[in-house]
Amino acid sequence: MNDATSTLRNPTLWLVVGIPLATVLASILTVTLAFQGAEPELPVHFAREGAPLALDQQRAQRAQQLGVRIDLNLAASGHIVARIATSHSGIREPNSLTLRMTHATRAELDREVRLTRGEDGAFHARDAAVPAGEWLLQVDSSDAGRVRSRASLPSARITLGE
């Protein structure tokens, strides 16, 4: 066997050359992926835009601390009924709730519905019938905070919150 063949079959040589070579190739690949899939820069006025997001998060935490649960009934006729339940007493129920319905794939179906308190203590609204699909439902209350849930509609009863 000649020296060139024995050198190529030497596993130590492959470790000494192969590991640094693999590291350089992996680094090049990492840099390439980082530049191709980079996130856009934050807006210049991010602090001003980020403040409402922080407030939204605080509203969600408040609802969670109060143990807010909203039972929502979406009838096929478009009649919507919501009832608030909390695990804490002393919370003042509002006169109205805002229901935001965001469709998972079709933005033209998104809507916002104002539910007003009825004589029975529940919140009511009439809206067009909700098409079938995956929805993000969000209910906002001035005192109870904000609760969200995902739902596959049409479904008659949905619970948002705990």
Side-chain angles (χ1 to χ4, degrees):
M1 210 179 333
N2 67 20
D3 284 339
T5 308
S6 64
T7 304
L8 291 176
R9 292 187 183 183
N10 186 351
T12 307
L13 173 70
W14 287 110
L15 285 175
V16 170
V17 174
I19 290 176
L21 181 64
T23 304
V24 169
L25 292 176
S27 298
I28 292 170
L29 178 64
T30 301
V31 169
T32 303
L33 291 175
F35 281 112
Q36 287 179 349
E39 293 288 325
E41 289 184 27
L42 291 175
V44 175
H45 303 290
F46 177 72
R48 188 175 12 182
E49 295 174 12
L53 295 173
L55 179 62
D56 186 51
Q57 192 65 22
Q58 290 171 355
R59 293 173 55 85
Q61 288 173 348
R62 175 162 170 72
Q64 188 175 21
Q65 289 169 350
L66 294 172
V68 173
R69 188 184 79 241
I70 297 183
D71 296 317
L72 197 60
N73 187 357
L74 298 164
S77 65
H79 185 222
I80 301 171
V81 179
R83 295 185 189 282
I84 296 179
T86 66
S87 61
H88 288 66
S89 60
I91 180 174
R92 188 185 62 137
E93 286 195 16
N95 291 326
S96 66
L97 298 174
T98 303
L99 170 63
R100 286 187 182 86
M101 304 172 71
T102 307
H103 193 273
T105 58
R106 297 179 54 198
E108 70 273 6
L109 296 177
D110 295 355
R111 58 184 83 175
E112 187 171 301
V113 180
R114 186 167 180 260
L115 296 109
T116 54
R117 181 190 291 281
E119 304 249 339
D120 60 353
F123 298 86
H124 299 269
R126 290 243 176 244
D127 192 44
V130 181
E134 294 294 319
W135 291 83
L136 173 65
L137 304 174
Q138 174 179 310
V139 176
D140 288 306
S141 164
S142 56
D143 292 333
R146 172 192 54 83
V147 291
R148 286 183 178 167
S149 183
R150 294 192 183 277
S152 295
L153 300 180
S155 176
R157 296 184 192 279
I158 300 153
T159 300
L160 288 80
E162 289 189 339

